[in-house]
Amino acid sequence: LKELGADAVLPELNRWVSQLKGDPAQVEALSLEALWAYQSLDIVNEPLLNFVLNARDHHARAAATRVVYHWFDRLSNALQLASARAEDEHPQVRLEALRTLSQIKGLPAAVAATRVLRKPMDENLDYALWLTLRELQSDWVAPFRERGFDFDGDFAALEFAVRAANSPDLAPPLLDR
């Protein structure tokens, strides 16, 4: 399909997606396949993405979150989409959300990333959060130092971020809180 190009494929793909009906699990699976087709054609389809992000199957939600990673700069609400997945019930979705938030960048992305701490953690999530906060360090360290930014009062998030930064000069302001 990619080799045929968007002009040849898009009309039929749009028609096929608009006619998806039946068993919800099958519709979700086929919608994910369609989402990947749009991604391969480099065509953003936000309604379809939103549908798959809210699928019952965590595999579909995780895959759609990875699509947000690739489309983040062309989505109207990438930060909100990734932030919501940081608190998903399934760790695989949360893991994809962390990687997406690291791509989005900015202080709000760092805050959203720490929301994974509100759900059970494992070593993969721990490492992904550590890596994300290190990658976003330039976005949150200066506000922490200058304005006393504290991850919206979430001490666990602040402590994790300071540990991830591995910067001894961040410890004294943390101890003063």
Side-chain angles (χ1 to χ4, degrees):
L1 293 178
K2 183 176 181 172
E3 289 177 12
L4 291 173
D7 291 339
V9 174
L10 202 53
E12 184 61 26
L13 180 59
N14 289 337
R15 185 192 64 73
W16 180 69
V17 169
S18 70
Q19 295 178 355
L20 289 177
K21 294 178 181 69
D23 174 58
Q26 184 178 18
V27 170
E28 286 179 358
L30 293 173
S31 294
L32 176 57
E33 294 287 337
L35 183 63
W36 285 333
Y38 283 103
Q39 183 183 8
S40 74
L41 296 169
D42 200 30
I43 304 288
V44 174
N45 185 326
E46 285 192 52
L48 183 61
L49 175 62
N50 285 318
F51 176 77
V52 181
L53 283 169
N54 292 296
R56 288 182 283 180
D57 181 6
H58 74 273
H59 296 101
R61 293 193 314 274
T65 304
R66 185 172 294 184
V67 172
V68 174
Y69 176 93
H70 293 286
W71 286 354
F72 84 94
D73 58 342
R74 294 183 287 158
L75 294 170
S76 62
N77 59 346
L79 177 62
Q80 293 83 0
L81 295 175
S83 295
R85 272 70 218 168
E87 295 185 78
D88 192 273
E89 291 302 316
H90 200 278
Q92 185 177 356
V93 179
R94 296 193 306 271
L95 185 67
E96 293 293 345
L98 286 172
R99 300 312 306 140
T100 300
L101 289 162
S102 73
Q103 179 77 359
I104 292 172
K105 307 221 181 303
L107 184 58
V111 172
T114 62
R115 292 187 186 130
V116 300
L117 293 167
R118 297 176 183 172
K119 300 284 185 184
M121 296 288 286
D122 61 27
E123 64 185 28
N124 296 314
L125 284 167
D126 190 86
Y127 178 68
L129 178 57
W130 177 87
L131 187 62
T132 298
L133 290 172
R134 291 209 37 134
E135 289 174 6
L136 300 177
Q137 190 167 329
S138 63
D139 296 319
W140 66 264
V141 167
F144 171 73
R145 284 187 176 136
E146 296 164 9
R147 302 188 309 267
F149 173 73
D150 66 355
F151 284 84
D152 296 335
D154 186 340
F155 188 79
L158 179 59
E159 178 189 21
F160 194 103
V162 168
R163 283 189 298 115
N166 196 26
S167 181
D169 64 318
L170 294 178
L174 181 61
L175 295 173
D176 291 340
R177 293 175 194 266

